[in-house]
Structure formats: C-alpha cells, structure tokens
Amino acid sequence: MRRFIMIAIALLTVACSAPAAQPTAAPAPAPKPTTAPAAAPTTAPAVAAKPSGPADKVKLQLKWVPQAQFAGYFVALDKGYYKDENLDVEILPGGPDIVSEQQVVNGQADFGIDWVASFLAFRDKGLPLVDISQVYQSSGLMLISKKSTGINKAEDLKGKSVGVWYGGNEFEFLALMDKLGYDPDKDLNVIKQGFTMDPFLAGQMEAASAMTYNEYQVVLESGLKADDLNILRYNDEGVGMLEDNLFTSETMVKTKPDLVQRFVRASLKGWQSAIDDQKFAVDTVMKYAEQGSTTADHQTRMMGEVAKLVVPQGMGKDQIGVMDAGRSRPPPTSR
C-alpha cells in the first residue's frame, strides 16, 4: 500500500503535462501497468464534420448518483452536443455498489468516471483502462471537525476518531498518514464513514471526510456555521490528488479513436456550457436527480464549488480536461 501511495502522490500532485487541443499518444501494451497513461485527446479537438449514418450508442457510467458533480455530461446530453457528434448517449447513475472501472471492463459501459487515485489502483491491478480527459483539476476532499475537538492541524488527528471513505476514496487520507508517520490502525480510531453526515453531526466521530461541494454544504445546511468548524484540506497538506476523470478501455481507444474524440469533444463542450450558465446546469441536473433526493439550492451551491475544481484560478475554460504539470496548486477553497 505504501508503494501505491507514493506512486499516486508522484503522479497526481504533479500531473503529466498535456497542452491544450493536442492529442497524446496511446500507451504501449503492458501486462500490468502501474500508471495511467494519457491516450486520447484531453481537450476538445477542432470541430469536425458530423459523422453520417446511425448514431453510435454509448453508455457513460457515473461515479455517484446524478448531481452537479457531473453537470457537464447532463448539459451535453440536454443541449444536444452528443447528438451533434452522432452519439446516442445513456448516462448510468452510480452508487455505493457500482464500480465504474469494472463496468467499463465488463462491457456494461463504454466510458466511466472515477477519482484518479482509485483509477490508478485498478490500473495497478492490470485493468486495461485509459484516462482520456482530466476534468477535475484538484482535490475537493477535506477533513472537517468542530472547533471544540481541538483539531487545529493535521498532527492533532492523532488519538482522534476520524471518518474515512473507503472503496477507492481513502488514498489521500492514507497519503496524509504516511506523510505524518502515523499508523492509522494504531494512532487513530479510523471509522468507516458512510455517505451521510449524521454520525459527525451527532458527535460520533471527531473528524469526518467531506467534499467542498457536497458534505461540507450539508453540514452548513444543518445549522452549523463555518466559524464553528476547522478544516484540513488535503491540497494544503501536500497530498491532494486529482479526482473526477473520464476514462475508457484501451480497446476502445485503439479500435474506435474517432468515437472517443467525439465523446470527449461533446463532454468538454458540455462542461464549458455548464460553467458559463450554472443556473441552466442546475436546472438540467434536477431533471435527472432522483425526485426528493436533493434541492435546487443544494445543487446550486454544489455547482459553484464544482466549477472551482474544473476551472481553478489561472485556467481558462478552453483548458478543461488537460493535465497541466505547470499549474500551481489552487488556493484553499473559500468558506
């Protein structure tokens, strides 16, 4: 595990450079790759003539349920950007028991979304998958605690009960433990955190995992104020890792490169549109979200935070999807 963490830190805190609007080379075949090579274009290529003939049916597997985290894809679907590329796209909702990488490898989906650290873990096991577009440019993951717990810095986690998401979401936490020299099995009381903030709000854990765009907003909506909380951002601790990417199989890249390019082009156009018109993006997401599962207000706040991760300060919307080694770490997310 320590070996993987160090590989992930090296790859994700200094991501491989990919200039805008230029495709990168497909990876050489390898029986058990340990890194995620760039393979198809990572930015939207120049507009090409619409392909003729029947539309290509494509399935995209989300990492989680429909929400503003994936707004660009829903906007691309709603505005007809996929149709313009002669694609008939079905967006499949995710959930706690759905693994995007397995869905793609098993042929249940053509494209998938996951955090890059989890994606790398599957690549390390030999799954023939390729990151074709890096949509999120930094980590939105953090640990939050009530000020009364006295967790003012990362070192204060020692001896505390800490909620951690597993299933591929734990690598930033493990990297932080490695940096601090802490054994998470001995130096902390690590609690496998579910996808609700109720245990944290009830005081059952002293620190909890939260995304800037979702769980943190849930906590604030519960009545706690930002001034009541301390925040440890993995970006600030130097172990932040890239999150939502867009990937497919090596076979898809090799046999249908034109389809891959068309799908990436339409998806990134959807993200550009979602960030330009966030109200429209939220309205679109609400059409696909499970009825009663969320509110437009929550999705509006989510969309605002997601936009900061997709197009952080210093980047332009024309750079959505790149891996830029020259981009400095973005400033802490404002409260």
Side-chain angles (χ1 to χ4, degrees):
M1 179 61 71
R2 180 184 178 90
R3 170 177 166 271
F4 172 75
I5 291 171
M6 299 314 294
I7 290 174
I9 294 173
L11 286 171
L12 302 178
T13 56
V14 183
C16 59
S17 177
Q22 292 185 3
T24 53
K32 288 198 173 186
T34 57
T35 61
T42 55
T43 59
V47 176
K50 179 178 177 179
S52 59
D56 293 301
K57 292 184 179 296
V58 170
K59 292 182 179 180
L60 168 64
Q61 178 63 64
L62 302 183
K63 176 179 173 62
W64 194 242
V65 298
Q67 57 185 14
Q69 177 183 356
F70 314 110
Y73 309 105
F74 290 111
V75 169
L77 184 63
D78 200 71
K79 286 202 167 186
Y81 298 154
Y82 290 127
K83 185 177 180 180
D84 290 344
E85 295 286 356
N86 207 31
L87 297 172
D88 180 2
V89 175
E90 179 182 1
I91 300 178
L92 306 176
D97 299 322
I98 296 176
V99 179
S100 299
E101 288 84 357
Q102 292 177 352
Q103 292 289 94
V104 172
V105 168
N106 293 338
Q108 300 302 308
D110 303 289
F111 298 91
I113 299 166
D114 199 1
W115 290 2
V116 176
S118 177
F119 171 84
L120 281 173
F122 284 102
R123 281 283 305 184
D124 199 45
K125 294 176 183 177
L127 270 65
L129 300 168
V130 183
D131 185 339
I132 56 174
S133 186
Q134 186 54 51
V135 178
Y136 279 37
Q137 294 296 318
S138 62
S139 172
L141 182 61
M142 54 192 186
L143 290 171
I144 62 175
S145 60
K146 298 171 185 175
K147 286 189 174 178
S148 58
T149 63
I151 302 175
N152 300 306
K153 56 185 184 301
E155 289 79 3
D156 296 332
L157 292 170
K158 190 170 186 178
K160 299 294 196 298
S161 59
V162 181
V164 178
W165 290 320
Y166 282 87
N169 299 334
E170 70 272 24
F171 295 113
E172 287 170 87
F173 169 75
L174 294 175
L176 178 61
M177 295 298 99
D178 191 74
K179 176 185 175 181
L180 296 173
Y182 290 172
D183 183 338
D185 295 325
K186 296 179 181 179
D187 295 326
L188 295 84
N189 174 27
V190 177
I191 299 172
K192 186 177 180 180
Q193 183 176 329
F195 295 96
T196 172
M197 298 308 288
D198 292 346
F200 171 74
L201 294 171
Q204 296 171 15
M205 57 183 67
E206 293 165 285
S209 297
M211 301 304 298
T212 58
Y213 54 78
N214 196 0
E215 290 76 17
Y216 178 62
Q217 304 302 323
V218 169
V219 169
L220 296 182
E221 290 163 12
S222 75
L224 286 174
K225 295 180 172 57
D227 290 341
D228 299 327
L229 302 169
N230 283 334
I231 296 176
L232 295 175
R233 296 179 176 86
Y234 287 104
N235 280 341
D236 294 345
E237 298 300 328
V239 295
M241 299 180 184
L242 296 177
E243 290 175 354
D244 291 25
N245 70 352
L246 187 61
F247 66 87
T248 189
S249 66
E250 290 182 358
T251 299
M252 177 71 81
V253 169
K254 292 173 183 176
T255 62
K256 299 180 179 180
D258 177 67
L259 187 153
V260 173
Q261 290 190 27
R262 285 184 281 135
F263 184 77
V264 170
R265 182 161 54 222
S267 297
L268 299 188
K269 188 175 180 181
W271 273 111
Q272 291 168 348
S273 180
I275 290 169
D276 278 340
D277 190 347
Q278 295 183 23
K279 183 182 184 304
F280 177 84
V282 169
D283 291 343
T284 301
V285 167
M286 291 301 293
K287 295 179 186 178
Y288 295 92
E290 183 179 351
Q291 189 172 5
S293 65
T294 188
T295 67
D297 286 344
H298 181 75
Q299 293 303 314
T300 297
R301 286 187 284 272
M302 183 184 292
M303 187 66 229
E305 293 298 326
V306 163
K308 298 175 187 177
L309 300 178
V310 176
V311 185
Q313 186 175 359
M315 285 188 65
K317 288 190 293 296
D318 61 334
Q319 294 176 292
I320 293 174
V322 304
M323 292 188 189
D324 182 6
R327 188 182 66 79
S328 60
R329 190 173 70 233
T333 304
S334 63
R335 297 187 186 181

PDB file of all heavy atoms in Angstrom, residues 129-144:
ATOM      1  N   LEU A 129      -7.316   0.153 -18.785  1.00  0.00           N
ATOM      2  CA  LEU A 129      -8.107   1.374 -18.822  1.00  0.00           C
ATOM      3  C   LEU A 129      -7.212   2.571 -19.082  1.00  0.00           C
ATOM      4  O   LEU A 129      -6.035   2.575 -18.703  1.00  0.00           O
ATOM      5  CB  LEU A 129      -8.853   1.561 -17.497  1.00  0.00           C
ATOM      6  CG  LEU A 129      -9.827   0.443 -17.126  1.00  0.00           C
ATOM      7  CD1 LEU A 129     -10.278   0.590 -15.678  1.00  0.00           C
ATOM      8  CD2 LEU A 129     -11.027   0.438 -18.067  1.00  0.00           C
ATOM      9  N   VAL A 130      -7.778   3.620 -19.682  1.00  0.00           N
ATOM     10  CA  VAL A 130      -7.005   4.794 -20.058  1.00  0.00           C
ATOM     11  C   VAL A 130      -7.763   6.063 -19.662  1.00  0.00           C
ATOM     12  O   VAL A 130      -8.947   6.205 -19.950  1.00  0.00           O
ATOM     13  CB  VAL A 130      -6.752   4.822 -21.583  1.00  0.00           C
ATOM     14  CG1 VAL A 130      -5.869   6.016 -21.951  1.00  0.00           C
ATOM     15  CG2 VAL A 130      -6.116   3.535 -22.044  1.00  0.00           C
ATOM     16  N   ASP A 131      -7.058   6.975 -18.989  1.00  0.00           N
ATOM     17  CA  ASP A 131      -7.613   8.288 -18.650  1.00  0.00           C
ATOM     18  C   ASP A 131      -7.576   9.137 -19.915  1.00  0.00           C
ATOM     19  O   ASP A 131      -6.508   9.461 -20.428  1.00  0.00           O
ATOM     20  CB  ASP A 131      -6.749   8.920 -17.545  1.00  0.00           C
ATOM     21  CG  ASP A 131      -7.306  10.239 -17.032  1.00  0.00           C
ATOM     22  OD1 ASP A 131      -8.095  10.870 -17.749  1.00  0.00           O
ATOM     23  OD2 ASP A 131      -6.934  10.645 -15.914  1.00  0.00           O
ATOM     24  N   ILE A 132      -8.751   9.507 -20.429  1.00  0.00           N
ATOM     25  CA  ILE A 132      -8.801  10.251 -21.693  1.00  0.00           C
ATOM     26  C   ILE A 132      -9.072  11.737 -21.496  1.00  0.00           C
ATOM     27  O   ILE A 132      -8.939  12.520 -22.426  1.00  0.00           O
ATOM     28  CB  ILE A 132      -9.854   9.658 -22.642  1.00  0.00           C
ATOM     29  CG1 ILE A 132     -11.230   9.605 -21.979  1.00  0.00           C
ATOM     30  CG2 ILE A 132      -9.405   8.283 -23.126  1.00  0.00           C
ATOM     31  CD1 ILE A 132     -12.351   9.157 -22.902  1.00  0.00           C
ATOM     32  N   SER A 133      -9.462  12.145 -20.276  1.00  0.00           N
ATOM     33  CA  SER A 133      -9.690  13.565 -20.011  1.00  0.00           C
ATOM     34  C   SER A 133      -9.726  13.782 -18.511  1.00  0.00           C
ATOM     35  O   SER A 133     -10.446  13.081 -17.800  1.00  0.00           O
ATOM     36  CB  SER A 133     -11.010  14.018 -20.640  1.00  0.00           C
ATOM     37  OG  SER A 133     -11.164  15.416 -20.517  1.00  0.00           O
ATOM     38  N   GLN A 134      -8.943  14.739 -18.028  1.00  0.00           N
ATOM     39  CA  GLN A 134      -8.892  15.027 -16.599  1.00  0.00           C
ATOM     40  C   GLN A 134      -9.754  16.255 -16.310  1.00  0.00           C
ATOM     41  O   GLN A 134      -9.305  17.387 -16.441  1.00  0.00           O
ATOM     42  CB  GLN A 134      -7.453  15.253 -16.135  1.00  0.00           C
ATOM     43  CG  GLN A 134      -7.314  15.403 -14.640  1.00  0.00           C
ATOM     44  CD  GLN A 134      -7.934  14.228 -13.898  1.00  0.00           C
ATOM     45  OE1 GLN A 134      -7.644  13.076 -14.189  1.00  0.00           O
ATOM     46  NE2 GLN A 134      -8.816  14.513 -12.954  1.00  0.00           N
ATOM     47  N   VAL A 135     -10.994  16.015 -15.911  1.00  0.00           N
ATOM     48  CA  VAL A 135     -11.954  17.108 -15.773  1.00  0.00           C
ATOM     49  C   VAL A 135     -11.721  17.907 -14.497  1.00  0.00           C
ATOM     50  O   VAL A 135     -11.724  19.143 -14.519  1.00  0.00           O
ATOM     51  CB  VAL A 135     -13.396  16.563 -15.825  1.00  0.00           C
ATOM     52  CG1 VAL A 135     -14.401  17.697 -15.622  1.00  0.00           C
ATOM     53  CG2 VAL A 135     -13.651  15.869 -17.165  1.00  0.00           C
ATOM     54  N   TYR A 136     -11.521  17.243 -13.367  1.00  0.00           N
ATOM     55  CA  TYR A 136     -11.276  17.951 -12.102  1.00  0.00           C
ATOM     56  C   TYR A 136      -9.781  18.201 -11.968  1.00  0.00           C
ATOM     57  O   TYR A 136      -8.983  17.271 -12.054  1.00  0.00           O
ATOM     58  CB  TYR A 136     -11.782  17.142 -10.909  1.00  0.00           C
ATOM     59  CG  TYR A 136     -13.277  17.259 -10.662  1.00  0.00           C
ATOM     60  CD1 TYR A 136     -14.190  17.342 -11.717  1.00  0.00           C
ATOM     61  CD2 TYR A 136     -13.784  17.267  -9.375  1.00  0.00           C
ATOM     62  CE1 TYR A 136     -15.546  17.444 -11.484  1.00  0.00           C
ATOM     63  CE2 TYR A 136     -15.146  17.366  -9.136  1.00  0.00           C
ATOM     64  CZ  TYR A 136     -16.028  17.458 -10.193  1.00  0.00           C
ATOM     65  OH  TYR A 136     -17.375  17.562  -9.968  1.00  0.00           O
ATOM     66  N   GLN A 137      -9.426  19.452 -11.718  1.00  0.00           N
ATOM     67  CA  GLN A 137      -8.024  19.841 -11.697  1.00  0.00           C
ATOM     68  C   GLN A 137      -7.395  19.809 -10.307  1.00  0.00           C
ATOM     69  O   GLN A 137      -6.190  20.002 -10.174  1.00  0.00           O
ATOM     70  CB  GLN A 137      -7.886  21.243 -12.277  1.00  0.00           C
ATOM     71  CG  GLN A 137      -8.231  21.328 -13.745  1.00  0.00           C
ATOM     72  CD  GLN A 137      -7.291  20.522 -14.617  1.00  0.00           C
ATOM     73  OE1 GLN A 137      -6.084  20.537 -14.411  1.00  0.00           O
ATOM     74  NE2 GLN A 137      -7.831  19.798 -15.588  1.00  0.00           N
ATOM     75  N   SER A 138      -8.174  19.593  -9.276  1.00  0.00           N
ATOM     76  CA  SER A 138      -7.617  19.484  -7.929  1.00  0.00           C
ATOM     77  C   SER A 138      -8.602  18.754  -7.044  1.00  0.00           C
ATOM     78  O   SER A 138      -9.719  18.431  -7.462  1.00  0.00           O
ATOM     79  CB  SER A 138      -7.285  20.867  -7.339  1.00  0.00           C
ATOM     80  OG  SER A 138      -8.463  21.647  -7.228  1.00  0.00           O
ATOM     81  N   SER A 139      -8.184  18.503  -5.834  1.00  0.00           N
ATOM     82  CA  SER A 139      -8.997  17.735  -4.894  1.00  0.00           C
ATOM     83  C   SER A 139     -10.004  18.618  -4.178  1.00  0.00           C
ATOM     84  O   SER A 139      -9.687  19.720  -3.738  1.00  0.00           O
ATOM     85  CB  SER A 139      -8.087  17.069  -3.859  1.00  0.00           C
ATOM     86  OG  SER A 139      -8.854  16.473  -2.833  1.00  0.00           O
ATOM     87  N   GLY A 140     -11.222  18.104  -4.040  1.00  0.00           N
ATOM     88  CA  GLY A 140     -12.239  18.780  -3.246  1.00  0.00           C
ATOM     89  C   GLY A 140     -12.455  18.088  -1.907  1.00  0.00           C
ATOM     90  O   GLY A 140     -13.389  18.429  -1.182  1.00  0.00           O
ATOM     91  N   LEU A 141     -11.578  17.144  -1.579  1.00  0.00           N
ATOM     92  CA  LEU A 141     -11.736  16.358  -0.356  1.00  0.00           C
ATOM     93  C   LEU A 141     -11.046  17.031   0.820  1.00  0.00           C
ATOM     94  O   LEU A 141      -9.934  17.558   0.689  1.00  0.00           O
ATOM     95  CB  LEU A 141     -11.162  14.961  -0.566  1.00  0.00           C
ATOM     96  CG  LEU A 141     -11.284  13.972   0.592  1.00  0.00           C
ATOM     97  CD1 LEU A 141     -12.733  13.697   0.947  1.00  0.00           C
ATOM     98  CD2 LEU A 141     -10.557  12.672   0.255  1.00  0.00           C
ATOM     99  N   MET A 142     -11.680  16.978   1.971  1.00  0.00           N
ATOM    100  CA  MET A 142     -11.087  17.542   3.181  1.00  0.00           C
ATOM    101  C   MET A 142     -11.623  16.807   4.402  1.00  0.00           C
ATOM    102  O   MET A 142     -12.545  15.992   4.308  1.00  0.00           O
ATOM    103  CB  MET A 142     -11.393  19.040   3.269  1.00  0.00           C
ATOM    104  CG  MET A 142     -12.860  19.403   3.182  1.00  0.00           C
ATOM    105  SD  MET A 142     -13.084  21.195   2.949  1.00  0.00           S
ATOM    106  CE  MET A 142     -14.866  21.322   3.063  1.00  0.00           C
ATOM    107  N   LEU A 143     -11.014  17.081   5.547  1.00  0.00           N
ATOM    108  CA  LEU A 143     -11.495  16.594   6.836  1.00  0.00           C
ATOM    109  C   LEU A 143     -12.035  17.784   7.607  1.00  0.00           C
ATOM    110  O   LEU A 143     -11.361  18.816   7.716  1.00  0.00           O
ATOM    111  CB  LEU A 143     -10.367  15.924   7.625  1.00  0.00           C
ATOM    112  CG  LEU A 143      -9.857  14.591   7.082  1.00  0.00           C
ATOM    113  CD1 LEU A 143      -8.599  14.158   7.835  1.00  0.00           C
ATOM    114  CD2 LEU A 143     -10.926  13.504   7.183  1.00  0.00           C
ATOM    115  N   ILE A 144     -13.243  17.652   8.124  1.00  0.00           N
ATOM    116  CA  ILE A 144     -13.819  18.740   8.905  1.00  0.00           C
ATOM    117  C   ILE A 144     -14.018  18.273  10.343  1.00  0.00           C
ATOM    118  O   ILE A 144     -14.244  17.092  10.608  1.00  0.00           O
ATOM    119  CB  ILE A 144     -15.156  19.233   8.313  1.00  0.00           C
ATOM    120  CG1 ILE A 144     -16.206  18.113   8.321  1.00  0.00           C
ATOM    121  CG2 ILE A 144     -14.949  19.759   6.895  1.00  0.00           C
ATOM    122  CD1 ILE A 144     -17.579  18.570   7.872  1.00  0.00           C
TER     123      ILE A 144
END
